Amino acid sequence: MTDYLLKFPSREVAEQFAISNGFANEVKGKVHSVLASDSHALHEIGSHNGTDYWVLFRDLVGIPIPEHGEQFIFWSSNMTVVDEADGLEVFLPRPALNPDVPNTFWS
Amino acid sequence: MSGSAVNLDKLALSLHFAEDRTLKARKGPTPLFTRASAATLIDVSGNIVYAPENLVSYSNDFTNALWVKVSGSSVGALVDGPFSSTQGRIVNLGTSSLSRIVQSTSANVGDYVIVSAWVRADVPTTIGIKVGTSSTVTSISVTTTWTRVFGTGVVSGSAQVQFTSNETTASGKTFQLYGVQYERASSSTDYVETTTTPYYGARFDFDPVTHACRGLLIEQQSTNLLHNSASLSTQIVTLSESFNYVLSFYGTGTVIMSGVTAAEVVGSGAYPTRTVFPFGANGSVTLTVTGSVLYANLEQLPSQSADASATSYIPTLNSSVTRSADVCSISGSDFSGMWNQNEGTLDIACSTSLNANASYVQASSSSGRIGFNASQETPLKVTAVFIDEYTWIDLLAADEANHKFVLSYTGKSTKYVNNPFVVSVALDGVWSCDNYSNVALNITDADNLQIGSGAVFGTRPGNTRISTLSYFSKSLSEDKMARLSS
């Protein structure tokens, strides 16, 4: 399982990215996100500061990152950093209590 | 004459969720269930508890990188396990007192946790189990016989399962480990092995007053915007006009809203009485709390939902928290092995909801669907839908009560001269109507049965409790439909 916190420059960009990768459908001009399936879940956090559009995404099965998707990944649970104390590589905790980052988590 | 009864009605699926409290079918395939995050339910004692879960991944693969080997610890060869060969794994703890094997979890500080695992050792020894980095340690005696052992505690520091040497001046220790489970519960449940993903189990919840099981709970995704929701205190929340909101809580306290909206919500009683207050707002709202306001949700409902009903309690601490939708279905060969494209009968007993997007059960393909859902009209009705969303039979006004629905379809009826396609419906003991369409039967390519949701997974959740669901691969008579629905 991999958690992603995605940051898009606008809602429209987020919707087009979701539609082109099968995570949303457009019916009669209205976009419907596929919030949950056997392989993923997503939550549209929405705007936080300015026009940025944030999305929580949980990959349950190892979905490949879509082409051009890397640019929207603000944080993922498989990001690692080197712990200065012991030099070991550790997973990067998700930013919390940061006013510039939405404070919404999966249960 | 002996032998099993003849299956004249061609029963192909029989699910008794409320009575059996399991997804396992009495007859036919067992549905596949997924929920991508934790959730709560009301248990048999009437308490709000977490659904069955195992919050560790790779619960029996200690070679995986998620199991961090600290200060000289390591894992060794596979060994005979408690139930069959090559299930267990040798774990070596180093000579440092800090030596341990650990995995972080998503539990919250303050959660009460039970860790369970099977352990044994060639030479008896003692180890420790911790549920958080700063939690107290449970001392475990490891014998030469595989034994399921338990470590309990309240999460302190960071949530993490730790198997430690439990000594201040440790010498190296070796033991064997199988099947770790990390769950927020008052007592341990059956072990569920995990691989890439933690286990978030289906919810069979109970009436808080009668303690009767209400069946399989299928809910929409929802976000609780409140912080420290177990016992609410005054706080400010920012709301958007893009969503509907509903405040819910137990207790006799009062929540006064001020800011872009003004309201006074007085608690109508202690648990299990729940106060529910739907509203809309766009901007900052101050919630001033006095008295006892417990297990509070302020739910931001999905933008495509018109529902203003409260869903199950979503615990929070210092952030907003989103519970993912419940997804339950039968597809692939499991579906094709039971479904008759030409005729059949669906039989469901469930509660309806006030969700305009609700779907309770439906078989579907990319070209059509057949089942029961909400009409998306005002006043909201429950309908039997077939072929497409424009072809339906109104059944009743949605009322959040329990009902029994039966739908029969056939493409070979002789009832109408010009069209062999007939759908008929029975509701709560009465065969109510039939209908036929002037368009050709086009659901002969159904390829899945969505249980408690429909159209697209997660987007039309029923917010329902399903007590039974059956499917017959035969169009049943009016009399039988009436009896099934009574």
Side-chain angles (χ1 to χ4, degrees):
Chain A
M1 183 176 79
T2 307
D3 280 340
Y4 295 91
L5 180 61
L6 306 175
K7 180 184 179 184
F8 296 90
S10 67
R11 177 174 187 158
E12 289 70 27
V13 172
E15 288 179 345
Q16 287 307 310
F17 183 76
I19 290 169
S20 62
N21 291 288
F23 300 115
N25 303 298
E26 188 166 6
V27 180
K28 300 172 189 169
K30 193 171 181 182
V31 176
H32 296 268
S33 296
V34 182
L35 299 178
S37 73
D38 295 332
S39 59
H40 85 285
L42 70 83
H43 168 53
E44 296 176 57
I45 297 171
S47 299
H48 183 64
N49 288 329
T51 60
D52 292 341
Y53 201 79
W54 297 74
V55 173
L56 269 183
F57 189 92
R58 176 163 277 184
D59 168 17
L60 302 176
V61 297
I63 301 169
I65 296 172
E67 190 176 7
H68 308 306
E70 292 276 3
Q71 62 185 311
F72 304 123
I73 300 174
F74 183 83
W75 170 88
S76 73
S77 60
N78 55 14
M79 287 179 169
T80 57
V81 293
V82 175
D83 188 335
E84 293 180 356
D86 54 14
L88 294 175
E89 193 174 43
V90 296
F91 291 108
L92 178 67
R94 191 185 134 177
L97 303 178
N98 179 340
D100 294 328
V101 181
N103 191 26
T104 302
F105 289 73
W106 290 112
S107 58
Chain B
M1 190 172 73
S2 62
S4 57
V6 177
N7 187 9
L8 292 175
D9 293 334
K10 298 185 178 180
L11 176 65
L13 176 67
S14 178
L15 296 162
H16 290 252
F17 295 131
E19 189 174 347
D20 298 348
R21 302 169 201 175
T22 174
L23 292 169
K24 186 173 175 55
R26 292 186 183 181
K27 184 174 180 61
T30 292
L32 179 65
F33 177 87
T34 306
R35 190 185 56 255
S37 67
T40 65
L41 55 80
I42 296 173
D43 73 5
V44 67
S45 301
N47 300 314
I48 297 174
V49 299
Y50 280 100
E53 62 186 14
N54 185 358
L55 296 184
V56 295
S57 299
Y58 297 100
S59 62
N60 198 41
D61 180 3
F62 309 109
T63 63
N64 187 276
L66 288 178
W67 289 101
V68 181
K69 295 82 181 175
V70 181
S71 297
S73 67
S74 63
V75 294
L78 289 168
V79 293
D80 287 351
F83 305 112
S84 67
S85 63
T86 65
Q87 284 185 317
R89 176 73 71 171
I90 291 174
V91 175
N92 303 300
L93 298 175
T95 54
S96 165
S97 61
L98 298 176
S99 185
R100 60 198 185 275
I101 175 172
V102 308
Q103 183 178 148
S104 296
T105 79
S106 60
N108 293 316
V109 169
D111 284 341
Y112 181 80
V113 169
I114 296 179
V115 172
S116 58
W118 282 263
V119 295
R120 75 168 295 277
D122 290 336
V123 178
T125 187
T126 302
I127 62 169
I129 296 177
K130 292 172 71 174
V131 302
T133 53
S134 301
S135 300
T136 56
V137 63
T138 301
S139 182
I140 302 293
S141 295
V142 185
T143 70
T144 56
T145 302
W146 280 108
T147 305
R148 194 181 192 196
V149 297
F150 305 92
T152 61
V154 175
V155 175
S156 178
S158 298
Q160 195 174 78
V161 56
Q162 297 190 357
F163 292 90
T164 75
S165 62
N166 195 28
E167 290 181 10
T168 53
T169 54
S171 54
K173 290 181 176 178
T174 295
F175 67 102
Q176 297 166 12
L177 183 60
Y178 168 82
V180 178
Q181 184 146 296
Y182 186 104
E183 56 190 317
R184 291 167 289 186
S186 57
S187 59
S188 65
T189 59
D190 290 344
Y191 169 63
V192 177
E193 187 158 319
T194 65
T195 54
T196 59
T197 306
Y199 165 68
Y200 302 110
R203 293 182 284 174
F204 302 92
D205 85 339
F206 292 79
D207 186 293
V209 177
T210 67
H211 297 186
C213 184
R214 298 189 286 192
L216 174 66
L217 175 59
I218 301 286
E219 286 187 314
Q220 65 190 12
Q221 176 178 299
S222 189
T223 298
N224 188 0
L225 298 174
L226 298 172
H227 292 190
N228 299 299
S229 58
S231 180
L232 199 67
S233 57
T234 297
Q235 55 193 272
I236 299 172
V237 293
T238 301
L239 308 178
S240 164
E241 63 180 346
S242 301
F243 299 94
N244 294 317
Y245 297 92
V246 59
L247 173 69
S248 61
F249 60 89
Y250 301 92
T252 54
T254 299
V255 178
I256 297 175
M257 295 185 187
S258 58
V260 297
T261 190
E264 179 175 338
V265 185
V266 180
S268 46
Y271 183 86
T273 300
R274 194 178 198 190
T275 303
V276 177
F277 181 75
F279 67 102
N282 181 22
S284 291
V285 176
T286 299
L287 305 176
T288 302
V289 178
T290 57
S292 171
V293 176
L294 306 176
Y295 304 116
N297 280 355
L298 200 173
E299 296 182 66
Q300 170 193 297
L301 301 169
S303 57
Q304 57 261 61
S305 171
D307 190 15
S309 298
T311 66
S312 58
Y313 171 59
I314 303 171
T316 71
L317 290 178
N318 296 315
S319 68
S320 301
V321 171
T322 299
R323 180 198 60 239
S324 182
D326 300 280
V327 175
C328 188
S329 65
I330 297 172
S331 59
S333 59
D334 281 348
F335 178 81
S336 59
M338 72 167 198
W339 191 260
N340 183 347
Q341 304 284 6
N342 300 312
E343 63 171 313
T345 303
L346 268 174
D347 167 22
I348 185 171
C350 67
S351 59
T352 65
S353 73
L354 301 180
N355 182 359
N357 289 307
S359 180
Y360 303 105
V361 62
Q362 70 173 22
S364 67
S365 70
S366 58
S367 61
R369 68 185 75 158
I370 189 163
F372 297 99
N373 65 16
S375 64
Q376 304 190 53
E377 292 179 330
T378 303
L380 188 65
K381 297 187 181 93
V382 178
T383 66
V385 62
F386 48 98
I387 299 179
D388 58 36
E389 61 185 301
Y390 306 108
T391 313
W392 71 87
I393 304 169
D394 284 341
L395 297 177
L396 78 165
D399 55 4
E400 295 188 299
N402 295 317
H403 296 282
K404 292 185 176 180
F405 305 99
V406 180
L407 181 153
S408 169
Y409 63 95
T410 177
K412 57 182 183 182
S413 172
T414 56
K415 191 168 185 176
Y416 301 100
V417 174
N418 295 324
N419 198 322
F421 176 38
V422 169
V423 170
S424 58
V425 177
L427 166 66
D428 294 334
V430 179
W431 183 89
S432 61
C433 62
D434 65 16
N435 203 347
Y436 66 97
S437 170
N438 290 323
V439 299
L441 175 63
N442 66 348
I443 56 164
T444 54
D445 57 352
D447 56 16
N448 70 88
L449 186 71
Q450 296 174 31
I451 300 169
S453 64
V456 178
F457 284 137
T459 59
R460 297 193 68 162
N463 290 342
T464 181
R465 292 172 174 85
I466 302 172
S467 55
T468 62
L469 173 62
S470 299
Y471 174 71
F472 304 82
S473 58
K474 174 183 176 182
S475 178
L476 298 182
S477 67
E478 296 174 13
D479 285 348
K480 281 189 176 174
M481 290 175 65
R483 283 203 301 274
L484 280 174
S485 68
S486 63

